[in-house]
Amino acid sequence: MINSMKKYNKYNLSEMMKKIKEYLFNSSETNIKLSLSVGVGVFTGIIPIWGFQTILAIMLSFLFKLNKIITLTFSNFSQPPITPFVVVGSFLLGGLFVNTDAVMFHSTSRTGYEFIKNNLLQYVIGSIILAVLLAPITGITTYYFLYVFRKEKNCEN
């Protein structure tokens, strides 16, 4: 049962990646529009508005006339196995801007709930900063790869 589940998940992940790659590289839209769609999707996927990320991604993709499928796909950026990196990165970045004595993985005297309650501001600020940093990085990286591998689409409007 577990082995069949692993095969199923691996198949779906590889198929999904293949479809995203195919959609990005064979789309009729410009490289800039596709890379902006990726950046906006990553931004909405990281900011801490749990449960509303998809709604915000849809609204922003309509507002800026971006590729809706790409924006929605990349708004799911912070899904496992990336989630721990996003959480830890957000917490550590927030620690640079919020004056607190919180130590990430050393909480012997406090419960997990108390730790989260006392340090939520640090996480929220850090995740907003992480979203603001990663959105342009992923957008620029996407634009670079599209520019290199989709030269015939570069001059389209």
Side-chain angles (χ1 to χ4, degrees):
M1 177 73 177
I2 293 175
N3 285 337
S4 64
M5 196 66 155
K6 284 182 183 178
K7 287 179 186 177
Y8 177 76
N9 286 337
K10 184 177 180 182
Y11 175 76
N12 281 342
L13 182 62
S14 65
E15 283 297 311
M16 183 181 73
M17 293 303 291
K18 193 183 302 181
K19 289 199 181 288
I20 290 171
K21 185 175 155 185
E22 180 181 316
Y23 193 79
L24 269 173
F25 289 110
N26 295 328
S27 176
S28 63
E29 298 191 29
T30 62
N31 293 346
I32 192 74
K33 187 176 268 192
L34 290 172
S35 58
L36 285 172
S37 299
V38 169
V40 168
V42 168
F43 176 80
T44 58
I46 294 176
I47 59 171
I49 53 169
W50 308 284
F52 298 104
Q53 293 160 321
T54 302
I55 295 168
L56 181 63
I58 291 169
M59 289 172 41
L60 291 176
S61 66
F62 275 102
L63 179 68
F64 296 121
K65 297 178 181 170
L66 300 174
N67 186 305
K68 281 80 175 153
I69 294 171
I70 296 296
T71 304
L72 284 174
T73 301
F74 282 90
S75 72
N76 291 306
F77 175 79
S78 62
Q79 298 294 321
I82 297 172
T83 305
F85 298 107
V86 171
V87 170
V88 171
S90 298
F91 189 81
L92 294 175
L93 273 172
L96 298 174
F97 296 93
V98 176
N99 192 9
T100 180
D101 60 347
V103 178
M104 184 73 178
F105 300 107
H106 183 63
S107 147
T108 56
S109 64
R110 295 180 274 184
T111 64
Y113 176 74
E114 288 177 19
F115 180 79
I116 291 170
K117 184 177 76 170
N118 294 334
N119 299 295
L120 184 62
L121 179 64
Q122 178 177 343
Y123 169 75
V124 168
I125 289 174
S127 62
I128 292 170
I129 294 168
L130 185 66
V132 168
L133 291 174
L134 280 184
I137 290 171
T138 55
I140 291 168
T141 303
T142 303
Y143 182 80
Y144 171 76
F145 283 111
L146 291 173
Y147 181 80
V148 169
F149 295 110
R150 289 185 58 199
K151 293 187 183 204
E152 69 277 0
K153 306 282 184 191
N154 290 328
C155 296
E156 292 183 15
N157 291 327

